[in-house]
Amino acid sequence: EKLRGQLRGLGLSGEGDPCRWEGIECRDCAVQKIRSYEATGDLSSVVSSLKEMTELTVLNLRGSPVTGNISELSKLERLQVLDLAQTRVVGDVAELSNLRGLQCLYLKQTQVFGDVGELSKLDGLQSLYLTQTQVLGNVANLSKLKGLQRLDLSQTRITGDVADLSTLSQLQRLYLTEVQIVGDVGE
């Protein structure tokens, strides 16, 4: 019943066992993944509902009407995938730098800002999508993310030389539309 209340705090509902609700995945009765396109409210209330879900590794609120500051999410240290794309969240990306387990971070079309260099602390990052955000800084700061496979910096305020990304040997997809990054992409 407690879990049901926590999930309802996210705007989720269903009948029966919450682990069988659409968008919820559990392991040994512990919620591991939440995908909700209807989550409502402020991030502080979302995190309040999630704080006892100690096994939560995936939080996907893409396209939902959720609002608030991303600093609230710094408490969810076990997250591996965080997808807030196309939401109305705001805040400095530095607030996420303690989420050391993150592998995928999707902040496309949000109102986040700050120096992209703060994300270089997330050394397990494989996918980083910052499209249409107010993030700035030098692209060279991302060269520390050796496992990065997908990177989208389109329509950001990031600058530098694309050659600074040449050390990213795992990089498979790179999107740099409408940015102030110069140079040629090597073979």
Side-chain angles (χ1 to χ4, degrees):
E1 196 58 38
K2 186 176 184 179
L3 175 59
R4 188 182 313 271
Q6 292 168 330
L7 292 171
R8 286 208 170 105
L10 293 171
L12 299 170
S13 62
E15 297 296 322
D17 180 2
C19 286
R20 295 180 189 263
W21 291 1
E22 184 177 341
I24 305 297
E25 290 183 37
C26 298
R27 174 185 245 163
D28 299 325
C29 298
V31 175
Q32 284 192 308
K33 300 178 183 180
I34 296 176
R35 289 183 179 85
S36 173
Y37 308 110
E38 284 96 36
T40 58
D42 187 83
L43 281 177
S44 60
S45 63
V46 169
V47 171
S48 177
S49 294
L50 299 175
K51 67 184 175 192
E52 293 181 35
M53 295 182 198
T54 57
E55 299 301 312
L56 186 66
T57 59
V58 175
L59 180 59
N60 181 344
L61 302 177
R62 176 184 292 256
S64 72
V66 73
T67 61
N69 196 300
I70 60 173
S71 63
E72 297 291 336
L73 298 166
S74 65
K75 301 169 185 124
L76 303 176
E77 296 178 2
R78 293 189 55 115
L79 284 182
Q80 295 173 4
V81 177
L82 177 59
D83 190 342
L84 297 173
Q86 302 164 328
T87 63
R88 297 185 331 216
V89 298
V90 300
D92 191 331
V93 292
E95 299 287 349
L96 301 177
S97 64
N98 72 311
L99 299 179
R100 299 297 172 101
L102 271 184
Q103 297 171 8
C104 303
L105 179 58
Y106 304 97
L107 297 173
K108 174 183 177 178
Q109 297 175 341
T110 62
Q111 298 301 310
V112 298
F113 56 86
D115 190 330
V116 72
E118 294 294 329
L119 297 177
S120 68
K121 298 172 185 170
L122 303 175
D123 54 13
L125 218 49
Q126 297 171 13
S127 296
L128 177 60
Y129 288 79
L130 297 174
T131 315
Q132 297 178 4
T133 63
Q134 297 300 310
V135 176
L136 50 78
N138 194 300
V139 71
N141 292 323
L142 296 176
S143 65
K144 299 172 188 166
L145 300 175
K146 301 299 183 197
L148 207 56
Q149 297 171 16
R150 292 168 296 283
L151 177 61
D152 191 344
L153 303 175
S154 298
Q155 300 177 33
T156 62
R157 297 171 46 203
I158 296 172
T159 61
D161 189 329
V162 74
D164 291 329
L165 298 177
S166 64
T167 60
L168 301 179
S169 60
Q170 303 296 310
L171 197 61
Q172 298 168 8
R173 292 199 170 108
L174 175 63
Y175 303 98
L176 299 173
T177 306
E178 297 180 44
V179 291
Q180 298 297 314
I181 297 175
V182 298
D184 293 325
V185 178
E187 296 286 323

